[in-house]
Amino acid sequence: MGANNINVVSSLFVFSIMFLSISSAFRTTAGKSRKQYTPCKNLVLFLHDIVYNGENADNATSAIVAAPQGSNLTILAPHNHFGNIVVFDDPVTLDNNLQSEAVGRAQGFYLYDRKNTFTAWLGFSFVFNSTYHKGTINLAGADPALNKTRDISVIGGTGDFFMHRGIATLMTDAVEGDVYFRLRVDINFYECW
Amino acid sequence: MGANNINVVSSLFVFSIMFLSISSAFRTTAGKSRKQYTPCKNLVLFLHDIVYNGENADNATSAIVAAPQGSNLTILAPHNHFGNIVVFDDPVTLDNNLQSEAVGRAQGFYLYDRKNTFTAWLGFSFVFNSTYHKGTINLAGADPALNKTRDISVIGGTGDFFMHRGIATLMTDAVEGDVYFRLRVDINFYECW
Amino acid sequence: MGANNINVVSSLFVFSIMFLSISSAFRTTAGKSRKQYTPCKNLVLFLHDIVYNGENADNATSAIVAAPQGSNLTILAPHNHFGNIVVFDDPVTLDNNLQSEAVGRAQGFYLYDRKNTFTAWLGFSFVFNSTYHKGTINLAGADPALNKTRDISVIGGTGDFFMHRGIATLMTDAVEGDVYFRLRVDINFYECW
């Protein structure tokens, strides 16, 4: 009798687990909604970009390498820089101080793609090879730069970030003329492996 | 006795569920084939691209910003435009009419990368901020433009398309000289979260 | 009695399975670590890149299309080519012989993004339309070209590689001046569908 009671209890428990298992299998294999949005890992990084303007070769971390007709490579183009492609290799720090020790680099490109407002498209990687982290985080997405926050996609990762996916939220932390800007990047990973 | 019979039945049921659970775990963690290809969400969009040719500044939605040696930025390069990079900010509509209300923008770049046929490589985002949708869809892939249909990857999304992945099928819907083309884009999401 | 014993045993077994199910569900839906790193598919490919230098138009498979101020489009820029964007359409073979039959093409771009060492950022696709494979593999990531191996992300795929994700390991297999280089690319897929 006592054993039977235990069995009834365990069977009920098993049924509820079975339900969880089935719904889990369904979600992952049939492409249905996954409702759990808790990040499995989070990073907060600051990226410092100093655009080459023809006179700051020693300090510049980025350069205009393409421009639309009528523009040049040392002055950002008119019409909100529409058509400029900028290649960058920016130091990455853990706080908002350009002089802080860099824990990695942000490497890739952005291009300005709207005439009537500041909007960029980014393809780049965070590259780490320090005690902080080893590996890369690859990102792509649209950056409507005047919005307070902008979300782009973490499309993959390697090393410590093997196969990771997630969302990076960009916030402009400082702007000095057309030469320096600083981004705060909050990365939330939702697939961590 | 009755309780025992129930237990035998529930045990058998449990064993079959265990099998499902194990195979589910195996699929998702060991990277085995997932056979279910039913999209969890579908969009059909039209993208209108008007290339700047030196005379249509008011209407143009895109511009050549890079070209190989010997070419310029107002005439697409010879050899199937090999080496041209075009930055665009194209209106997106729900039907094939350029005059229809835009529900979003397609922003990013394409580059022509073959000398002996028309083939492009695309990196861009659909950006929505309307009652239709809020959020972005990020895409990348090869576009052999003369094929009737071409598949590229949805590599991530934000907002309404948080963490989405899928396939976008491109179809050329209209071409007018070197200045205007219209793409129909069928997006099938297979990971919707 | 005997039936009860079986039930006790099966209950214990069920409990251990439940534990597996719970941890599996947790991993896939709450984004926790997935520890199984066995690839579900592997490819080894060789990519041959011949950069246009102003005199090899017939053989060249790639061309410089953007450069920083002061550089041109037939000589790679100083400072480790910082700022050059190269568009390519490279033959892909299954061994390290440029004369072997091409099973596909590698199409897209790379850009040099560091002044003090050779580092590139890649966005490209492997495009197959042969008995070897049909479909595309889309990749993006940072390539610190002097490292013996570099990992980039497989961000999606189509056709035979529908929805695939994984890691591609790049190894420089040969370099001849600034004109020819050959990459060995080991692709390990961890999501195969």
Side-chain angles (χ1 to χ4, degrees), chain B residues 44-48 93 95-98 145 147-148 150 170-176 180-186:
Chain B
V44 177
L45 302 168
F46 291 84
L47 169 167
H48 307 264
T93 59
D95 62 21
N96 67 0
N97 188 340
L98 174 57
N147 291 9
K148 193 177 173 194
R150 299 88 73 181
L170 312 181
M171 286 157 277
T172 304
D173 199 57
V175 178
E176 295 175 14
Y180 175 73
F181 70 84
R182 183 171 65 233
L183 287 185
R184 178 188 157 125
V185 185
D186 283 20

Side-chain angles (χ1 to χ4, degrees), chain A:
Chain A
M1 272 288 273
N4 283 352
N5 281 347
I6 288 167
N7 282 323
V8 170
V9 170
S10 89
S11 294
L12 283 172
F13 191 28
V14 164
F15 269 96
S16 60
I17 292 301
M18 287 182 320
F19 181 77
L20 283 176
S21 301
I22 292 165
S23 64
S24 162
F26 192 67
R27 273 204 299 275
T28 52
T29 60
K32 286 278 164 174
S33 280
R34 291 188 257 182
K35 297 298 182 195
Q36 179 73 35
Y37 294 169
T38 310
C40 43
K41 204 178 285 179
N42 171 268
L43 301 178
V44 177
L45 302 169
F46 291 83
L47 170 166
H48 307 264
D49 192 67
I50 303 170
V51 186
Y52 177 64
N53 67 357
E55 295 170 5
N56 59 351
D58 288 350
N59 296 326
T61 65
S62 67
I64 307 168
V65 302
Q69 192 211 17
S71 294
N72 66 40
L73 301 179
T74 52
I75 299 173
L76 286 161
H79 303 300
N80 293 295
H81 314 337
F82 178 79
N84 277 145
I85 302 181
V86 177
V87 168
F88 63 92
D89 168 33
D90 292 345
V92 173
T93 59
L94 297 180
D95 62 21
N96 67 0
N97 187 341
L98 173 58
Q99 307 305 326
S100 296
E101 189 189 7
V103 295
R105 310 292 295 186
Q107 300 176 337
F109 73 100
Y110 53 87
L111 53 83
Y112 290 98
D113 57 12
R114 287 206 85 168
K115 286 191 257 187
N116 60 354
T117 185
F118 279 102
T119 292
W121 200 87
L122 296 156
F124 74 105
S125 303
F126 286 106
V127 179
F128 301 105
N129 187 16
S130 65
T131 52
Y132 174 66
H133 273 301
K134 290 187 193 304
T136 66
I137 303 170
N138 300 317
L139 305 101
D143 175 12
L146 298 184
N147 292 9
K148 193 178 173 194
T149 66
R150 301 87 73 180
D151 286 347
I152 64 174
S153 292
V154 175
I155 58 177
T158 68
D160 289 354
F161 307 99
F162 176 83
M163 291 289 288
H164 285 36
R165 291 180 69 234
I167 304 284
T169 301
L170 312 181
M171 286 157 277
T172 303
D173 199 56
V175 179
E176 295 176 15
D178 275 349
V179 170
Y180 175 73
F181 70 84
R182 184 171 64 233
L183 287 186
R184 178 189 159 125
V185 185
D186 283 22
I187 303 180
N188 285 306
F189 295 104
Y190 297 94
E191 286 193 24
C192 287
W193 288 66

Side-chain angles (χ1 to χ4, degrees), chain C residues 51-100:
Chain C
V51 186
Y52 177 63
N53 66 358
E55 295 170 4
N56 59 350
D58 288 350
N59 296 326
T61 65
S62 67
I64 307 168
V65 301
Q69 191 211 19
S71 294
N72 66 40
L73 301 179
T74 52
I75 300 172
L76 286 161
H79 303 301
N80 294 293
H81 315 334
F82 179 78
N84 277 145
I85 302 181
V86 177
V87 169
F88 63 92
D89 168 33
D90 292 345
V92 173
T93 59
L94 297 180
D95 63 20
N96 67 1
N97 188 341
L98 174 57
Q99 308 305 327
S100 296

